[in-house]
Amino acid sequence: MSGVVDSFSCGVPWGILRVEGFGSGSGVPDLDIAYSMTAANDGCILVSVIHDDIDMLKVTVVRDGVPEGFVQMFTGELNAPELVLEVGDVVGDDFRFRYALSTDRPKVSIFADDPEEAAEVCVVIPSIDRKLVV
């Protein structure tokens, strides 16, 4: 794995990680884990992850590369008109990190160590520029 931009561990209330493009106006999609561990719309991706009552989630944000043995949970483009992407908990109250982008339609791929209860997630964004100070 190369091009690491950020890495952090945190407790995730509700057990849902959010990756969202600023200015998309899409809102947050509905996630029903009875049918899928992910949900997405034009501007936002939700991924079911380990709940903070069980353990911490480790998130790595990279430009390229995937840890061996990880499973692809999502790949697609997001709408990010303000050239900013946010990774946080589902409502953004407990943690959120922002990243500058070089395009308003970034390709985003999300990989997890366990597709049913991810304790480690790798977010791959080739067009990521840098982490922003919030």
Side-chain angles (χ1 to χ4, degrees):
M1 195 168 43
S2 62
V4 175
V5 175
D6 195 16
S7 185
F8 58 90
S9 294
C10 54
V12 184
W14 309 105
I16 300 173
L17 183 71
R18 175 181 51 86
V19 178
E20 185 171 10
F22 265 46
S24 70
S26 299
V28 177
D30 291 328
L31 176 63
D32 184 348
I33 62 170
Y35 298 102
S36 176
M37 303 308 277
T38 63
N41 59 30
D42 187 49
C44 185
I45 307 161
L46 299 180
V47 180
S48 180
V49 297
I50 198 161
H51 193 278
D52 66 350
D53 286 345
I54 299 168
D55 204 352
M56 302 284 278
L57 174 70
K58 179 181 179 189
V59 178
T60 305
V61 179
V62 300
R63 288 185 184 92
D64 56 59
V66 180
E68 190 173 318
F70 275 44
V71 175
Q72 184 173 314
M73 301 290 290
F74 174 88
T75 194
E77 286 187 351
L78 279 184
N79 185 22
E82 295 181 28
L83 301 176
V84 173
L85 198 75
E86 183 171 88
V87 177
D89 64 277
V90 69
V91 293
D93 285 347
D94 291 277
F95 69 94
R96 62 178 182 248
F97 300 97
R98 295 181 184 162
Y99 306 91
L101 302 167
S102 61
T103 179
D104 64 349
R105 297 289 302 176
K107 179 181 177 187
V108 178
S109 298
I110 300 175
F111 297 85
D113 64 336
D114 181 345
E116 300 210 5
E117 194 171 64
E120 289 187 49
V121 171
C122 182
V123 182
V124 182
I125 310 162
S127 62
I128 198 166
D129 183 29
R130 69 189 184 285
K131 183 177 181 179
L132 299 170
V133 178
V134 180

